[in-house]
């Protein structure tokens, strides 16, 4: 247990990930009796006036925060990012009759998306960012993507959580000669920066990286993309059905929507560097990422291997360099981190090393504490 008034440990988990402490405190305070209703949010009918007010506020706050245009529908679903890898093609691949889907592969998550979409569509890999060793450390330039004129949609993952590769700008498919809508998996950087909706047809993401507990999946879809589901698509996953029922076709993940709504409120009022709301959280994310990448780049012991132009602001994989990269030194680093209250820094099992996920809820002080530890560790072992 922590001594009174000490801060909680800093949690660098890639997901489910840290939530803002203010939100957790509010959830705790409202747990037994939400706003005098005599009920926990978990115990409310999803069709009662209390929960409807919670869901409507969450949706309105998200729309305002991300500046989602009126012709987009916001859906609260279940199944996570992985289920969307099937739900998206089941809803969109039938549009236009070609059955074609073009996929941009830039890391582990988009690879999985492509493999799943093959079960429902004629998938072409428009570009693959892997280098000769099979690692994803850079983004293929959009001018070189192979895009088919009749594709039903083009898919990409705008932030690769495992590889630490992020699109700093979404491609303008129209300028590349494509008429297809762009689908983005923004699971791991949703609400960390603005979205250019003029370039997007559909965005999806699991909540557990940046906006709430696992179990809630967010889908933001342009209205003209509704109503094209394949006959095999389950009704509960047909975007048109879900949209018409205002995400209440079946019981939605009510508690997840409630917590996400509190996170949206927290974000709307977030202040940093003279800014408010999304601009403020984005600036703090930029500052946190810059501090960490600069430290790694100046280190003789640690390194990040992603090209500078596409380094993720959210997920920073790092490794011990060359001869230092032994299991003993990796373990010593992680054990020392835990002792300092720096949690869940182990890298994904597919790439090894370390990974610091520094989502919206991570304060600047958490990254400063990590940087101090990196320097201390280097002083002792470098
Ligand atoms: C975590 C993650 C997923 C998978 O989400 P689940 O909720 O586990 O299905 C998909 N895409 C990205 C980019 C992710 O970070």
């Amino acid at each position: 247990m922590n001594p009174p008034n000490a801060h909680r440990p800093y949690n660098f988990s890639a997901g489910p990930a840290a939530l803002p402490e203010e939100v957790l405190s509010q959830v705790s305070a409202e747990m037994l009796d939400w706003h005098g209703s005599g009920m926990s949010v978990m115990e409310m009918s999803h069709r009662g006036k209390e929960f409807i007010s919670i869901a409507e506020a969450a949706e309105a706050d998200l729309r305002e925060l991300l500046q989602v245009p009126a012709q987009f529908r916001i859906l609260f679903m279940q199944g996570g990012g992985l289920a969307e890898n099937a739900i998206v093609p089941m809803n969109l691949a039938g549009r236009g009759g070609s059955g074609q889907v073009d996929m941009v592969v830039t890391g582990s998550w988009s690879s999985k998306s492509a493999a799943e979409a093959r079960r429902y569509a004629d998938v072409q890999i428009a570009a693959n960012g892997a280098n000769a060793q099979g690692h994803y450390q850079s983004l293929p330039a959009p001018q070189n993507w192979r895009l088919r004129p009749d594709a039903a949609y083009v898919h990409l993952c705008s932030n690769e959580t495992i590889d630490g590769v992020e699109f700093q700008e979404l491609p303008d498919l129209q300028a590349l000669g494509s008429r297809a809508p762009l689908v983005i998996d923004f699971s791991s950087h949703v609400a960390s920066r603005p979205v250019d909706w003029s370039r997007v047809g559909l965005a999806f993401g699991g909540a557990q990286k940046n906006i709430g507990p696992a179990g809630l999946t967010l889908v933001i879809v342009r209205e003209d993309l509704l109503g094209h589901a394949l006959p095999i698509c389950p009704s509960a996953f047909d975007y048109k059905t879900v949209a018409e029922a205002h995400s209440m076709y079946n019981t939605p993940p009510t508690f997840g929507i409630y917590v996400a709504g509190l996170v949206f409120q927290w974000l709307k009022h977030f202040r940093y560097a003279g800014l408010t709301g999304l601009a403020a959280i984005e600036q703090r994310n930029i500052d946190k990422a810059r501090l960490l990448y600069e430290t790694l780049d100046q280190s003789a012991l640690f390194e990040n291997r992603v090209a500078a132009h596409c380094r993720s602001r959210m997920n920073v994989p790092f490794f011990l360099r060359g001869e230092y990269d032994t299991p003993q030194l990796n373990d010593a680093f992680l054990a020392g981190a835990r002792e300092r209250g720096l949690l869940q820094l182990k890298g994904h099992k597919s790439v090894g090393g370390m990974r610091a996920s520094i989502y919206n809820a991570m304060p600047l002080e958490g990254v400063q504490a990590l940087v101090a530890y990196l320097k201390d560790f280097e002083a002792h072992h470098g």
Side-chain angles (χ1 to χ4, degrees):
M1 293 296 288
N2 299 314
N5 302 321
H7 68 77
R8 300 170 76 223
Y10 294 116
N11 180 354
F12 295 89
S13 171
L19 285 165
E21 199 168 320
E22 295 89 332
V23 168
L24 292 176
S25 297
Q26 190 173 344
V27 170
S28 161
E30 295 176 345
M31 183 60 78
L32 297 185
D33 180 7
W34 183 83
H35 293 203
S37 66
M39 297 178 275
S40 166
V41 174
M42 275 184 274
E43 304 171 303
M44 290 175 181
S45 164
H46 59 297
R47 307 202 187 274
K49 66 175 186 338
E50 293 91 351
F51 186 73
I52 301 243
S53 76
I54 289 171
E56 284 179 352
E59 184 181 329
D61 285 338
L62 180 63
R63 191 176 285 279
E64 183 186 328
L65 191 68
L66 293 188
Q67 299 280 295
V68 180
Q71 74 271 28
F72 283 77
R73 301 296 297 265
I74 294 177
L75 312 181
F76 296 127
M77 298 181 64
Q78 307 195 42
L82 272 195
E84 289 301 323
N85 286 340
I87 297 169
V88 170
M90 280 196 283
N91 274 274
L92 302 190
R95 228 183 114 258
S98 74
Q100 295 176 344
V101 172
D102 289 345
M103 315 274 306
V104 181
V105 173
T106 55
S108 307
W109 288 113
S110 48
S111 296
K112 281 197 178 183
S113 299
E116 185 74 7
R118 281 188 203 286
R119 303 169 58 153
Y120 306 97
D122 161 15
V123 169
Q124 170 186 268
I125 306 302
N128 191 323
N131 65 16
Q133 291 74 43
H135 298 136
Y136 296 95
Q137 295 165 356
S138 177
L139 286 173
Q143 312 84 267
N144 303 328
W145 296 357
R146 297 188 303 139
L147 300 174
R148 292 177 290 185
D150 297 322
Y153 66 94
V154 177
H155 173 113
L156 62 81
C157 177
S158 44
N159 184 62
E160 288 280 2
T161 321
I162 293 172
D163 309 276
V165 173
E166 181 173 18
F167 281 84
Q168 301 304 327
E169 192 188 359
L170 293 174
D172 180 352
L173 291 188
Q174 269 186 329
L176 297 170
S178 165
R179 292 183 305 275
L182 179 67
V183 170
I184 63 170
D185 173 357
F186 69 169
S187 296
S188 53
H189 71 167
V190 52
S192 71
R193 60 191 302 156
V195 176
D196 183 351
W197 295 105
S198 72
R199 297 185 172 183
V200 172
L202 184 149
F204 70 82
Q208 71 272 23
K209 312 292 166 62
N210 225 356
I211 59 178
L216 167 65
T217 313
L218 182 65
V219 175
I220 304 183
V221 54
R222 220 172 55 208
E223 253 159 10
D224 62 288
L225 301 179
L226 302 174
H228 304 279
L230 301 176
I232 54 160
C233 181
S235 336
F237 290 153
D238 181 334
Y239 294 140
K240 183 160 190 267
T241 305
V242 177
E244 283 175 350
H246 298 278
S247 302
M248 305 266 180
Y249 174 72
N250 65 332
T251 313
T254 52
F255 196 73
I257 293 171
Y258 156 68
V259 178
L262 296 181
V263 171
F264 301 151
Q265 277 285 326
W266 178 81
L267 284 169
K268 268 176 66 174
H269 299 115
F270 186 80
R271 286 165 171 278
Y272 179 81
L275 302 162
T276 307
L278 194 64
I281 203 79
E282 181 183 31
Q283 187 58 52
R284 190 173 77 167
N285 289 332
I286 291 170
D287 290 350
K288 286 172 349 196
R290 184 182 297 139
L291 173 61
L292 184 49
Y293 284 115
E294 273 177 11
T295 305
L296 293 168
D297 286 347
Q298 287 161 11
S299 167
L301 192 62
F302 299 100
E303 63 177 340
N304 168 272
R305 299 170 182 161
V306 177
H309 73 280
C310 53
R311 285 174 163 181
S312 170
R313 292 175 185 168
M314 297 281 101
N315 309 99
V316 183
F318 59 95
F319 303 88
L320 288 159
R321 288 181 193 266
E323 73 204 71
Y324 296 110
D325 190 7
T326 63
Q328 291 77 3
L329 211 49
N330 278 279
D331 289 349
F333 178 83
L334 292 168
R338 276 190 301 276
E339 268 169 35
R340 289 196 178 206
L342 307 173
L343 306 182
Q344 308 206 71
L345 279 163
K346 195 175 169 65
H348 190 270
K349 60 183 185 306
S350 65
V351 289
M354 270 68 74
R355 171 174 51 170
S357 293
I358 49 175
Y359 297 121
N360 284 347
M362 175 62 65
L364 182 59
E365 292 75 15
V367 177
Q368 287 166 340
L370 173 58
V371 161
Y373 176 50
L374 288 167
K375 290 182 173 163
D376 276 7
F377 192 84
E378 180 161 350
H380 284 95
H381 300 276

